[in-house]
Amino acid sequence: MEKAPAIELKNITKTFGRIVANHNVNLKVNRGEIMAILGENGSGKTTLMNMISGIYFPDSGHIFIDGKEVVIASPKDSYKYGIGMIHQHFKLVDVLSAAENIVLGLHGKYNIKEASREVARIASLYGFEIDPAKKIYEMSVSEKQTVEIIKVLYRGADILILDEPTAVLTPQETAKLFAVLRRMKEDGKAIVIITHKLHEVLSISDRVAVLRKGEYICTLETKDATEASLTEAMVGKKVALDIDRADPVDPEDRLIVKDLDCINREGAKVLDDVSFTARSGEILGIAGIAGSGQRELLEAIAGLQHVESGEITYKDPKTGKAENLRDKTPMQIRQLGVRLSFVPEDRLGMGLVGSMDIIDNMMLRSYRKGKSAFLQRKEPRDLANEIIKSLEVVTPSATTPVRRLSGGNVQKVLVGREIAATPTVLMAAYPVRGLDINSSYMIYNLLNQQKERGVAVIFVGEDLDVLIDLCDRILVIGSGHVTGVVDARTTTKEEIGLLMTKSVAHGEGGELNG
Amino acid sequence: MSFILDKIIYVLANAINNGMPILFGSTGEIITEKAGHLNLGIPGVMAVGGISGVVTAFFYQQSASKNTFLMILLPLLATLLGSLVMGLIYCFLTVTLRANQNVTGLALTTFGIGIGNFFGASIIKLSHSELTSVRIDETSKVFKATLPFASKLGFIGELLFSYRFLVYAGIIIALVCAYVLKRTRVGLHLRAVGENPATADAAGINVNKYKYVSTCVGSMIAGLGGFYYCIDKNGWSNDNIGPFGWLAIALVIFAIWRPNLAIFGSILFGLLLNLYDLIPALELNIKFPHGYDKLFKMVPYIVTIVVLIITSARKKRENQPPASLGLSYFREDR
């Protein structure tokens, strides 16, 4: 006789405005089983899990717990049904101890000693290492994650959902976590782990469900799956896009990055020995799972991120002289005569000032021009009007604050400004994120025009179809390492997908099984 | 020997008395700040608390039948009510409407001191008094009553039992607040709200309720400080409470957000505040140049600045202000 699954989803659909985040998703998780949910960024994994944990409410579909249909309207309901979610971003209070965080929000008698004993009991049951009295701010990321997991166990959860738990862990910590998860599985808990790392799926899960662009694709038995079959299910068939791609004309080396190492604010290594060359008249694509170091790479080149070691060299197209850009501020880079344009990922944070109008935002690049104490407003005004006209920016006027414009129009203003500076290197991070089809194509055309002008374009993207059809070469990075450089004209999505999820870290696959 | 002891007791009693309004204000501000709200309106809250009590006491004194119990109870209730209203105004603006806390607080200070001055001046006019202050001698006499046996217990009695009941109340309130913050579930939740409201919210804590209650209770405690000051001076005179409010806010930092440390801090501040008065009273036979009192009056403020520098330079996380102090919380902003 087959047991009722711990949790079962039937035909779950969720839309945000016009975007379909989940469409007719079916999922079944049994007790004593680890289920992996695999998908690219934006495939709807987290949205789906947020519906189970009560953060979002599905538009249609049914959720069953132990065979009974339930309505999960809030995180409280989900606790009631024994569902515990461990988010990617920890919800912990830094100055409180582990035990204090674990009992936070509970009612009844307040006895931190007893709570600490219970925490220690749970920890020893599953093989966690934790000091209940340790303050969160003194903990490593993996210790914080342990606190989060114990928090849901303390509240009696027997269905655990972990949202990309290994993204922040070292291979050794991942191995430890997996050992704990296996013990929980033996204890009869149902575990769902969201991930996009294929080798982890293969090492930890019993079954794997694949999502792609909000659609439920299939559920596979892990023992029958291989990296190749999973990649194919995850990235799908190639969709042809109609982007005109000219062949590069006499490419020459423009920007040379060598052995770049960077450390982020938390002290983790985000770029490890990154080397590549961007050539003039060529679009270099950068592919990778979000947060693999793309942002830091571009910011390091732009002079916004501290570089631990390595070299960034710029070859001047006129003189052929090599300039070192490392450890220079954006101002110093500009004074060297390097014409570097940067379209950052965070448009209204780093790119434009939301409460200023289009003209003033143009001036952010030209305010040093002119000799008198007064600003010259004519040139930026002309430029703003020119961009509005040529890029078809939909705005009431050039004096409208940019935050009132739609995402696509904001991006046109930003890209327009950066291109107007006649750059020799143009870096764009996710320039079409959140844009509709027409705006996206306009951006692709602008990038192509720049390429034909002889600019070295660096394009960080997430849609593999676009990367393959737009770029000339694609640099793939995985957790801060360059995992490959491929020719966009001959590569396949599967090849890039495998490179994105490939880990170059010291032979971890073996350890994970231990 | 007893001469020196007497001096010590005199200085100490004076310091405790002077520091008491600061202690009330600072205890109130600590629990407000623990919920993540920087209430710079404390001087105004203290002024409103003080004037509410004084006005009530003034009119009750003029009534025909006077009851000692009511003479204590009515002004205290009026003080609590007056400062509660100020707390509610602050909460409504900063919690519900999410107005800027600094601006709201400063406006509340100006407003509160203005209210105090307005009613103070009106009553001075009403009473056709020659004085520039509202006298509530009868009431303050009742409030200033001390334990009758204190003076009979010699040194220990003088040191421990010779104060007004509001002094003990102030110290007990501070100790209770310290206990609640450190040892109870309510305190844990309150600290979580001030540190990381999003996390507290996710844990099922009603963030706005905690913010409202702690800010209002904090205002009421601070209001008592304003009333204590008026009792000490036997009445209300305009513009006098403000500096105590600012010192109370400074003391919060000095006491690194711990009400129990604020007790000692308030005694120190009280001592420094009256240094100019104490030095000659001690008859130490030291010759000071003319105008020295002006210099001594500056000392508490200089100490506050020094303390701010020292505490700001200290790195320990537990001694830092609550992480979300001064920031509004809106669930959908996450």
Side-chain angles (χ1 to χ4, degrees):
Chain A
M1 192 190 89
E2 201 184 323
K3 279 185 297 179
I7 184 159
E8 184 170 10
L9 307 180
K10 280 189 183 159
N11 298 326
I12 296 285
T13 296
K14 175 76 184 172
T15 56
F16 295 102
R18 275 168 36 223
I19 298 160
V20 180
N22 282 142
H23 185 245
N24 276 344
V25 176
N26 289 286
L27 199 67
K28 210 176 356 173
V29 188
N30 297 319
R31 289 198 191 282
E33 178 182 74
I34 298 178
M35 172 84 154
I37 297 189
L38 182 69
E40 286 185 292
N41 299 313
S43 58
K45 295 168 294 189
T46 303
T47 306
L48 184 65
M49 292 304 115
N50 277 341
M51 280 188 279
I52 300 176
S53 62
I55 294 172
Y56 297 144
F57 195 74
D59 296 344
S60 66
H62 307 273
I63 301 176
F64 298 85
I65 306 259
D66 292 327
K68 277 195 286 281
E69 178 158 12
V70 296
V71 175
I72 301 174
S74 71
K76 241 182 207 162
D77 286 352
S78 108
Y79 271 135
K80 195 173 76 190
Y81 297 119
I83 299 166
M85 177 137 176
I86 290 100
H87 295 269
Q88 242 175 315
H89 303 286
F90 303 135
K91 292 190 181 299
L92 297 169
V93 180
D94 274 355
V95 295
L96 301 184
S97 70
E100 284 173 325
N101 266 290
I102 287 166
V103 300
L104 192 66
L106 296 176
H107 299 285
K109 203 169 170 296
Y110 181 65
N111 186 338
I112 206 75
K113 270 192 196 137
E114 215 165 273
S116 298
R117 269 198 295 277
E118 174 66 10
V119 167
R121 191 189 67 79
I122 294 173
S124 67
L125 187 62
Y126 298 113
F128 288 110
E129 285 161 24
I130 189 173
D131 172 7
K134 195 167 176 182
K135 294 272 169 38
I136 300 298
Y137 69 85
E138 297 170 329
M139 291 185 172
S140 69
V141 179
S142 117
E143 286 176 295
K144 288 181 193 172
Q145 187 179 57
T146 303
V147 176
E148 283 282 17
I149 297 174
I150 293 182
K151 190 158 107 183
V152 301
L153 292 174
Y154 187 91
R155 280 147 216 250
D158 51 14
I159 301 169
L160 272 86
I161 303 167
L162 297 101
D163 189 1
E164 301 198 11
T166 60
V168 291
L169 301 184
T170 64
Q172 290 77 11
E173 289 167 341
T174 303
K176 257 189 209 167
L177 172 69
F178 282 4
V180 166
L181 292 182
R182 287 195 186 95
R183 231 162 288 166
M184 286 184 193
K185 172 176 120 178
E186 281 156 27
D187 198 41
K189 299 206 183 293
I191 297 167
V192 180
I193 171 168
I194 299 175
T195 182
H196 45 236
K197 296 185 185 166
L198 298 178
H199 62 96
E200 290 180 2
V201 170
L202 293 172
S203 105
I204 185 81
S205 71
D206 299 302
R207 290 189 304 138
V208 47
V210 184
L211 298 183
R212 187 200 310 149
K213 294 188 176 149
E215 298 276 349
Y216 166 75
I217 304 302
C218 59
T219 301
L220 303 167
E221 293 285 331
T222 306
K223 60 180 188 304
D224 305 332
T226 61
E227 293 216 358
S229 70
L230 288 177
T231 308
E232 201 194 311
M234 184 164 86
V235 296
K237 293 268 174 297
K238 173 84 180 71
V239 184
L241 299 165
D242 203 13
I243 302 175
D244 296 324
R245 174 167 51 191
D247 285 328
V249 184
D250 340 310
E252 49 185 85
D253 292 357
R254 181 70 66 237
L255 189 73
I256 301 152
V257 172
K258 214 176 147 205
D259 303 333
L260 199 66
D261 281 6
C262 283
I263 285 173
N264 70 2
R265 238 174 267 142
E266 282 82 43
K269 203 163 197 181
V270 277
L271 291 179
D272 196 346
D273 268 351
V274 171
S275 302
F276 67 90
T277 304
R279 299 190 197 129
S280 64
E282 193 184 74
I283 298 183
L284 174 70
I286 297 184
I289 304 288
S292 301
Q294 297 95 320
R295 186 197 174 111
E296 287 80 3
L297 178 59
L298 296 197
E299 290 186 0
I301 296 171
L304 300 169
Q305 157 84 37
H306 178 69
V307 174
E308 291 299 313
S309 65
E311 286 167 30
I312 305 168
T313 316
Y314 171 80
K315 285 250 172 77
D316 197 297
K318 284 192 195 110
T319 60
K321 218 172 70 183
E323 301 277 10
N324 173 30
L325 301 190
R326 194 190 147 184
D327 296 332
K328 295 247 176 5
T329 63
M331 190 66 181
Q332 288 169 326
I333 291 175
R334 203 173 291 181
Q335 279 162 354
L336 280 174
V338 177
R339 294 211 304 279
L340 187 71
S341 282
F342 183 23
V343 178
E345 172 180 357
D346 179 13
R347 289 164 209 163
L348 283 181
M350 272 175 72
L352 301 169
V353 178
S355 54
M356 290 188 348
D357 65 23
I358 301 176
I359 300 172
D360 286 351
N361 270 296
M362 294 302 138
M363 267 178 10
L364 288 179
R365 249 186 175 281
S366 65
Y367 66 94
R368 278 182 223 89
K369 286 185 185 159
K371 292 208 171 66
S372 72
F374 298 101
L375 290 167
Q376 299 200 340
R377 284 185 66 88
K378 190 178 177 311
E379 275 173 46
R381 192 187 306 123
D382 293 346
L383 177 58
N385 287 325
E386 168 67 24
I387 288 173
I388 291 170
K389 216 173 103 202
S390 63
L391 301 189
E392 294 160 23
V393 178
V394 181
T395 172
S397 74
T399 53
T400 307
V402 288
R403 91 181 121 76
R404 296 231 199 100
L405 307 182
S406 74
N409 288 307
V410 167
Q411 189 68 322
K412 285 181 198 170
V413 171
L414 176 57
V415 173
R417 184 188 76 192
E418 292 302 313
I419 288 173
T422 57
T424 49
V425 177
L426 173 64
M427 301 189 290
Y430 308 108
V432 297
R433 184 183 276 173
L435 267 56
D436 60 29
I437 292 289
N438 286 329
S439 308
S440 301
Y441 273 84
M442 177 167 272
I443 301 288
Y444 302 147
N445 288 337
L446 286 171
L447 294 178
N448 267 325
Q449 280 169 19
Q450 292 303 306
K451 163 182 157 182
E452 281 160 30
R453 262 196 54 232
V455 175
V457 180
I458 299 175
F459 172 85
V460 178
E462 45 198 347
D463 191 329
L464 296 184
D465 290 325
V466 171
L467 279 162
I468 290 173
D469 278 2
L470 177 71
C471 303
D472 298 296
R473 287 182 305 141
I474 299 172
L475 175 84
V476 189
I477 52 180
S479 26
H481 297 263
V482 174
T483 51
V485 180
V486 295
D487 182 345
R489 286 178 177 78
T490 56
T491 190
T492 60
K493 279 174 97 171
E494 285 73 22
E495 186 187 5
I496 299 177
L498 277 175
L499 285 172
M500 277 163 65
T501 49
K502 183 171 129 187
S503 51
V504 257
H506 8 87
E508 66 193 83
E511 285 173 47
L512 293 179
N513 294 320
Chain B
M1 190 63 196
S2 83
F3 171 75
I4 295 172
L5 275 182
D6 281 351
K7 287 264 164 22
I8 290 174
I9 287 172
Y10 172 77
V11 169
L12 194 64
N14 194 295
I16 290 175
N17 194 34
N18 263 312
M20 203 41 61
I22 308 176
L23 176 61
F24 276 110
S26 161
T27 308
E29 179 70 5
I30 286 172
I31 59 172
T32 306
E33 289 197 12
K34 277 291 180 187
H37 278 248
L38 179 68
N39 188 357
L40 292 180
I42 285 293
V45 172
M46 287 171 75
V48 168
I51 196 69
S52 307
V54 167
V55 168
T56 312
F58 181 80
F59 284 110
Y60 188 72
Q61 272 177 194
Q62 294 176 336
S63 66
S65 59
K66 274 173 268 184
N67 173 322
T68 315
F69 179 66
L70 283 180
M71 198 178 263
I72 290 177
L73 189 67
L74 290 179
L76 279 183
L77 284 179
T79 297
L80 292 177
L81 193 70
S83 38
L84 172 66
V85 169
M86 290 293 276
L88 282 173
I89 295 173
Y90 178 82
C91 279
F92 180 69
L93 284 166
T94 59
V95 181
T96 307
L97 301 180
R98 295 189 294 279
N100 180 300
Q101 295 182 12
N102 297 342
V103 175
T104 308
L106 291 174
L108 217 58
T109 286
T110 315
F111 173 68
I113 291 177
I115 292 259
N117 289 352
F118 172 74
F119 284 102
S122 309
I123 289 179
I124 292 167
K125 273 271 156 56
L126 276 182
S127 58
H128 304 291
S129 154
E130 298 290 306
L131 300 163
T132 53
S133 62
V134 185
R135 304 290 294 183
I136 48 165
D137 295 304
E138 271 180 89
T139 311
S140 49
K141 204 175 147 206
V142 177
F143 271 95
K144 282 178 175 174
T146 53
L147 292 171
F149 58 82
S151 52
K152 295 187 190 110
L153 291 175
F155 174 65
I156 300 292
E158 289 273 340
L159 191 64
L160 298 178
F161 301 114
S162 67
Y163 306 104
R164 306 155 192 173
F165 78 91
L166 272 180
V167 171
Y168 299 104
I171 290 170
I172 289 169
I173 289 172
L175 290 175
V176 167
C177 285
Y179 179 83
V180 168
L181 279 175
K182 192 138 174 67
R183 304 264 173 227
T184 67
R185 196 173 287 280
V186 169
L188 176 70
H189 291 184
L190 184 59
R191 281 184 286 151
V193 166
E195 286 292 337
N196 192 336
T199 296
D201 198 14
I205 296 167
N206 188 336
V207 172
N208 281 1
K209 189 173 102 184
Y210 269 88
K211 280 174 179 283
Y212 257 92
V213 171
S214 69
T215 306
C216 288
V217 170
S219 288
M220 283 155 76
I221 296 173
L224 285 177
F227 184 60
Y228 184 94
Y229 177 80
C230 296
I231 290 295
D232 190 45
K233 299 283 182 268
N234 296 324
W236 170 275
S237 42
N238 284 352
D239 287 327
N240 270 355
I241 288 183
F244 285 82
W246 296 120
L247 280 173
I249 294 173
L251 179 58
V252 172
I253 301 164
F254 183 83
I256 48 174
W257 291 268
R258 287 178 202 165
N260 45 346
L261 294 185
I263 298 173
F264 301 103
S266 73
I267 296 172
L268 177 68
F269 275 38
L271 179 74
L272 296 173
L273 263 182
N274 250 18
L275 218 49
Y276 72 95
D277 219 17
L278 284 172
I279 301 282
L282 289 177
E283 293 161 7
L284 293 174
N285 288 327
I286 306 171
K287 284 261 184 289
F288 289 102
H290 180 68
Y292 71 95
D293 58 321
K294 301 276 191 306
L295 286 175
F296 278 117
K297 278 182 184 175
M298 285 161 49
V299 171
Y301 299 95
I302 293 168
V303 168
T304 304
I305 292 169
V306 171
V307 161
L308 277 171
I309 292 169
I310 295 170
T311 46
S312 306
R314 278 192 302 199
K315 287 283 186 287
K316 203 157 171 255
R317 270 302 288 276
E318 279 89 344
N319 297 342
Q320 297 302 315
S324 80
L325 184 64
L327 307 174
S328 304
Y329 174 64
F330 184 43
R331 185 183 282 181
E332 267 124 75
D333 274 350
R334 280 177 297 178

